């Protein structure tokens, strides 16, 4: 990883949770080392200054964090490159991620942190934060509280927390992300190893529904689910080293995990959908299979987790 491809946080060698005081201290330390008058390099000093000017300003830092660190840190002589330190798709680092030779599913194993915290003087996020399986909770957004939305999101959090996370100790649930595709909201994201599932929800009356790829049809009425495909594509661009999928869980009013019944029509055999439309039981079953079948599912991918935490509302 070159200096020009480092994030602002890496340039100053601070965690993404660093306080204003910690950023000032880190800047003074880095500036002394990088300043040309002290034998440093002019380009490095410009990167240090740019990082400080961005992170010390609350509004600029907020905008930078909301970008998920998708753009490279550039200076006048920079040729660009990957912004963060996760391996690019097809790179040697990405290619070395393998399931153990014995083929055993490791999803239920204790978490392994990559990169490891041992020997890391300035981790991207504190270990105590990386150990938490749930980050953030549904909350009010805007002027109106939208209590129905919050209750629906809480049902999804409870479902994931009780049914999915215990089976995959390395899985991390992040609630309340801002979409990188627009200013919309991503209800939930579940990261495990090198797989990422984006999850949102809807509440409909119980019964039998038909999904034709665009709408849920029931009793002569059509209901369009939240638009998630565009967000999945945007997140896949940001995280090329991950396999990103979307899931819309359809809750029934009485909390029955098997309601409503959803029949999938007009879908070619073997077709892979960007977004799965499922009831609660279907999401639990499908999501556990998706996350557990990925490479190194017992890995907590610290660079990706840090970027997701920066994108929270």
């Amino acid at each position: 990883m070159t200096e020009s491809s480092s994030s602002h946080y890496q340039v100053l060698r601070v965690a993404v949770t660093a306080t204003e005081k910690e950023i000032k201290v880190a800047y003074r330390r880095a500036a002394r080392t990088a300043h040309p008058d002290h034998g440093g390099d002019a380009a490095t000093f410009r990167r240090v200054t740019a990082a400080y000017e961005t992170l010390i300003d609350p509004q600029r830092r907020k905008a930078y964090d909301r970008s998920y660190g998708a753009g490279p840190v550039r200076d006048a002589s920079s040729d660009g490159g990957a912004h963060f330190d996760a391996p690019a798709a097809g790179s040697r680092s990405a290619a070395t991620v393998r399931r153990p030779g014995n083929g055993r599913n490791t999803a239920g194993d204790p978490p392994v942190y990559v990169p490891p915290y041992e020997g890391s003087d300035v981790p991207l996020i504190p270990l105590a934060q990386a150990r938490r399986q749930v980050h953030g909770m549904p909350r009010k957004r805007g002027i109106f509280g939208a209590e129905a939305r919050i209750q629906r999101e809480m049902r999804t959090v409870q479902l994931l927390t009780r049914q999915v996370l215990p089976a995959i100790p390395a899985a991390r649930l992040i609630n309340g992300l801002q979409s990188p595709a627009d200013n919309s909201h991503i209800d939930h994201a579940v990261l495990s190893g090198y797989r990422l599932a984006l999850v949102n929800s809807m509440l409909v009356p119980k019964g039998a529904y038909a999904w034709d790829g665009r709408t849920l049809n029931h009793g002569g009425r059509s209901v369009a689910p939240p638009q998630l495909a565009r967000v999945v594509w945007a997140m896949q661009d940001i995280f090329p080293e991950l396999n990103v999928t979307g899931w819309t869980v359809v809750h029934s009013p009485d909390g029955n995990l098997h309601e409503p019944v959803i029949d999938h029509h007009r879908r070619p055999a073997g077709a892979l959908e960007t977004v799965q439309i499922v009831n609660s039981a279907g999401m639990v079953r499908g999501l556990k299979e998706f996350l557990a079948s990925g490479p190194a599912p017992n890995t907590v991918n610290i660079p990706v987790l840090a970027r997701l935490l920066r994108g929270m509302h």
Side-chain angles (χ1 to χ4, degrees):
M1 180 179 64
T2 66
E3 286 291 335
S4 61
S5 66
S6 300
S7 75
H8 288 327
Y9 293 95
Q10 290 170 300
V11 168
L12 295 183
R13 298 180 64 77
V14 295
V16 297
T17 54
T19 63
E20 179 180 325
K21 180 179 179 180
E22 290 170 335
I23 291 171
K24 288 181 178 179
V25 171
Y27 169 68
R28 287 194 291 267
R29 180 176 59 245
R32 282 196 299 268
T33 303
H35 199 285
D37 291 347
H38 297 160
D41 176 70
T44 301
F45 183 71
R46 287 196 297 271
R47 285 192 289 271
V48 168
T49 302
Y52 174 74
E53 290 176 348
T54 297
L55 300 184
I56 202 62
D57 183 295
Q59 294 303 316
R60 291 180 62 180
R61 183 180 182 180
K62 184 177 180 180
Y64 179 75
D65 287 349
R66 291 286 172 82
S67 74
Y68 293 71
V73 177
R74 299 181 182 273
D75 58 69
S77 61
S78 174
D79 292 328
H83 174 76
F84 219 79
D85 56 354
S91 69
R92 178 177 297 179
S93 297
T96 57
V97 178
R98 291 287 185 270
R99 192 179 287 277
N102 59 12
R104 182 177 64 85
N105 191 313
T106 62
D109 288 356
V112 174
Y113 298 92
V114 177
Y117 276 83
E118 295 79 6
S120 176
D121 53 346
V122 184
L124 291 170
I125 55 176
L127 178 59
Q129 190 175 28
R131 282 175 169 164
R132 289 166 45 194
Q133 278 200 283
V134 181
H135 299 267
M137 294 299 285
R139 62 181 181 85
K140 295 182 179 180
R141 300 191 303 271
I143 298 176
F144 302 102
E147 294 298 330
R149 175 190 57 77
I150 294 177
Q151 292 177 12
R152 186 185 70 234
E153 290 184 17
M154 280 302 305
R155 286 181 61 174
T156 306
V157 170
Q158 293 170 357
L159 184 67
L160 294 169
T161 302
R162 297 171 181 174
Q163 303 282 348
V164 176
L165 299 188
I168 309 176
R172 297 296 181 261
L173 169 61
I174 304 97
N175 301 299
L177 289 168
Q178 183 178 25
S179 166
D182 47 39
N183 291 323
S184 64
H185 184 78
I186 304 173
D187 294 349
H188 322 279
V190 186
L191 173 69
S192 179
Y194 295 84
R195 294 201 164 180
L196 177 66
L198 306 181
V199 182
N200 58 14
S201 60
M202 56 191 303
L203 180 66
V204 300
K206 62 185 301 182
Y209 289 77
W211 167 247
D212 62 7
R214 291 177 298 179
T215 59
L216 283 169
N217 300 289
H218 170 68
R221 300 184 62 183
S222 297
V223 181
Q227 298 301 305
L228 192 58
R230 183 168 173 238
V231 179
V232 171
W233 298 331
M235 292 291 268
Q236 186 66 79
D237 288 340
I238 291 175
F239 299 106
E241 70 277 17
L242 303 183
N243 183 348
V244 184
T245 60
W247 302 74
T248 294
V249 54
V250 184
H251 295 294
S252 66
D254 62 2
N256 187 336
L257 301 187
H258 300 278
E259 289 281 354
V261 175
I262 304 174
D263 294 322
H264 291 71
H265 295 168
R266 303 180 185 176
R267 183 177 59 177
L272 296 178
E273 297 180 349
T274 303
V275 180
Q276 301 289 328
I277 308 294
V278 290
N279 58 24
S280 297
M283 188 190 69
V284 169
R285 181 175 59 252
L287 196 55
K288 286 167 67 173
E289 180 180 356
F290 169 70
L291 296 174
S293 61
N298 65 318
T299 296
V300 179
N301 192 321
I302 297 299
V304 174
L305 178 60
R307 291 172 68 179
L308 291 173
L309 294 179
R310 286 163 54 188
M312 291 174 64
H313 278 278

